Amino acid sequence: PLDVLLSTSTSVIGQPLEYPDGTPKITSAIVTMMPGQATGWHHHDVPLFAYILEGELTVDYGPDGKKTYKTGDSFIEAFKTEHNGVNTGTTPARILAVFAGSDDAQNTVTD
């Protein structure tokens, strides 16, 4: 059987998906964050699928509010919008991140 984790055409804050120009490139990674650790303010220039493998992550989207994600949650992260994620749980958070990028766009941009 197929267990669909997510099917959407918008980001978590309602942005319509946009793919970057250039040669397509998929990048996947597992991000591990310790309790209290923050990503720092950043944005993504490409769509990013995220799946919380373990733990808890709270993301501050500035004027678009905050959202908390827990084990088993999946979402398309905000892009071209500044945000900051914090492990607000008591255990390490592990996040599968899959970027739908290109050779012309940065996956993550820190300011």
Side-chain angles (χ1 to χ4, degrees):
L2 178 68
D3 291 326
V4 175
L5 298 176
L6 180 68
S7 179
T8 185
S9 58
T10 61
S11 75
V12 71
I13 61 171
Q15 301 160 304
L17 292 180
E18 298 175 17
Y19 293 110
D21 292 332
T23 302
K25 180 170 72 173
I26 300 294
T27 303
S28 63
I30 294 179
V31 178
T32 302
M33 296 175 64
M34 301 309 291
Q37 184 177 359
T39 61
W41 287 92
H42 65 284
H43 70 272
H44 305 285
D45 284 346
V46 304
L48 162 60
F49 167 80
Y51 179 76
I52 308 298
L53 297 165
E54 299 174 29
E56 177 179 292
L57 179 70
T58 299
V59 182
D60 182 348
Y61 297 103
D64 292 302
K66 290 183 181 181
K67 294 184 185 278
T68 298
Y69 307 100
K70 298 184 180 204
T71 301
D73 289 343
S74 59
F75 56 99
I76 300 297
E77 184 57 286
F79 53 96
K80 299 181 181 175
T81 298
E82 295 293 315
H83 56 278
N84 182 43
V86 178
N87 178 346
T88 48
T90 59
T91 62
R94 296 183 70 236
I95 304 131
L96 171 64
V98 180
F99 298 89
S102 77
D103 60 355
D104 288 346
Q106 291 186 1
N107 291 333
T108 302
V109 180
T110 56
D111 297 320

